[in-house]
Amino acid sequence: MPRIAYVNGRYVRHSDATVHIEDRGYQFADGVYEVCEVRHGVIVDLTRHLDRLNRSLGELRIAWPMTRPALILVIRETLRRNHVRNGLFYLQVTRGVARRDHVFPPAGTPSSIVVTAKSTDQSAIAKKNANGIKAITVRDNRWDRVDIKSVGLLPNAMARQQAKEAGAQEAIYIDQNGMVKEGAATNVWIVDHDGNLVTRPAEHGILRGITRTTLKDVAAKLGVTIVERFFSVEEMMKAREVFITAATSICFPVVSIDGETVANGHPGSMSQKIREAFFDVAEKTAI
Ligand code: PDD
């Protein structure tokens, strides 16, 4: 069964899907994206993902490519055509196609839109949850608007590659004061010695992850306190638990950082409880 992508108004075979060479996403990384989980045949937290898309587009003054209800129809149809029950959809909106010029194209230039969908390997995810993952720390070398979910991900790709070459799966960004920011494609959490869930405030140099936001609802249900504050690398290394969150993985326990064992080297009970409670709490939209 061939994969199908939605590209600027048409459903096409994934292998034949193309965008124009002067698309501003291609030339200037002038675009934004969302990744949203699909589990047990429903879309998870769609409203929050589309609200964040709206914010990202607004911050960069990129026009919606179509109305929000129309986009939801396209997302559903793309998922249906790809028979996704457990996986994700990816959507990308760019400022459109125009002769190369740094300034914005003329008003009325249509935004470009691509939606893809794929099933994910559930056994690989289960393995990471059972064993935990390894991370490295890296200096943050990104621009200061990482609150916008822009497709300009070269520093993130470099950091992930660095992690891979060190035998790890995630790179954790550290600010100039030695405080933890977030992962290359995840938010970072610790369980401190009072049993609180701690994560960096989203106003300061990180992306406001949707999983991060929904985790607040999960914590309320579990009766766990969330504290949004800065925490240092030293505190993270001594934390009871460390885990990372993203729409693609809910939460993966971290058991090693920079080659040193953290959290006794075993996945903790808090990340497991959160993972188990997450789906019930999250918003579910039928495909
Ligand atoms: N990344 N921080 C960064 C830098 C991210 O790229 C992501 C998501 C997150 C977590 O956000 P959310 O919970 O909304 O997925 C935090 C996606 C999955 C990606 O780039 O593939």
Side-chain angles (χ1 to χ4, degrees):
M1 183 209 37
R3 278 184 76 192
I4 302 295
Y6 176 85
V7 184
N8 292 324
R10 292 192 309 134
Y11 294 95
V12 291
R13 283 171 81 108
H14 195 275
S15 50
D16 299 333
T18 52
V19 291
H20 195 278
I21 55 167
E22 287 196 314
D23 191 289
R24 288 183 63 97
Y26 181 57
Q27 294 197 325
F28 297 109
D30 188 358
V32 301
Y33 76 107
E34 281 295 329
V35 178
C36 189
E37 193 199 10
V38 175
R39 202 184 323 177
H40 307 317
V42 293
I43 305 170
V44 178
D45 281 333
L46 180 62
T47 302
R48 283 178 172 157
H49 280 278
L50 293 182
D51 287 350
R52 184 172 63 185
L53 174 68
N54 187 48
R55 179 179 182 278
S56 298
L57 290 170
E59 290 294 309
L60 297 182
R61 292 188 281 150
I62 297 174
W64 271 75
M66 61 184 78
T67 65
R68 184 163 165 149
L71 181 57
I72 293 172
L73 285 180
V74 167
I75 290 167
R76 283 187 167 138
E77 185 60 20
T78 307
L79 288 168
R80 275 199 292 265
R81 289 188 188 218
N82 288 282
H83 304 280
V84 175
R85 286 194 56 78
N86 290 291
L88 56 85
F89 74 78
Y90 172 86
L91 77 79
Q92 172 171 324
V93 181
T94 76
R95 205 182 301 276
V97 176
R99 192 179 153 146
R100 188 176 183 279
D101 184 356
H102 287 66
V103 298
F104 292 176
T109 302
S111 305
S112 298
I113 166 85
V114 169
V115 181
T116 59
K118 67 174 183 186
S119 300
T120 46
D121 180 350
Q122 297 305 301
S123 65
I125 291 173
K127 205 169 148 195
K128 282 185 179 167
N129 285 327
N131 300 336
I133 65 143
K134 296 178 179 174
I136 59 167
T137 56
V138 293
R139 269 286 301 274
D140 197 349
N141 59 353
R142 301 172 297 168
W143 73 327
D144 64 2
R145 291 308 310 275
V146 295
D147 56 300
I148 300 170
K149 203 161 172 55
S150 118
V151 296
L153 292 175
L154 182 56
N156 310 59
M158 298 297 288
R160 269 279 171 99
Q161 181 62 23
Q162 194 182 330
K164 186 179 178 193
E165 288 171 10
Q169 292 80 41
E170 181 58 303
I172 297 175
Y173 285 119
I174 308 301
D175 70 17
Q176 67 274 34
N177 301 315
M179 296 291 166
V180 175
K181 294 188 94 178
E182 63 179 337
T186 56
N187 287 121
V188 177
W189 300 73
I190 60 170
V191 180
D192 72 8
H193 285 275
D194 298 321
N196 296 324
L197 274 176
V198 181
T199 198
R200 187 180 173 104
E203 291 74 30
H204 299 276
I206 65 166
L207 180 75
R208 190 182 292 277
I210 301 306
T211 318
R212 179 187 180 282
T213 301
T214 298
L215 214 129
K216 292 183 182 179
D217 302 336
V218 176
K221 194 180 169 204
L222 295 175
V224 176
T225 305
I226 289 190
V227 183
E228 290 182 69
R229 64 167 172 82
F230 290 75
F231 58 97
S232 65
V233 177
E234 288 73 37
E235 185 177 359
M236 175 170 72
M237 300 307 287
K238 292 186 198 129
R240 277 199 207 166
E241 286 183 38
V242 182
F243 62 88
I244 54 174
T245 58
T248 41
S249 53
I250 309 300
C251 72
F252 284 147
V254 179
V255 295
S256 158
I257 299 173
D258 292 334
E260 283 182 40
T261 296
V262 291
N264 296 327
H266 298 292
S269 56
M270 181 75 88
S271 63
Q272 191 184 337
K273 267 192 243 165
I274 287 167
R275 205 164 38 249
E276 284 166 5
F278 193 91
F279 186 68
D280 278 350
V281 174
E283 179 201 41
K284 294 169 272 292
T285 305
I287 295 172

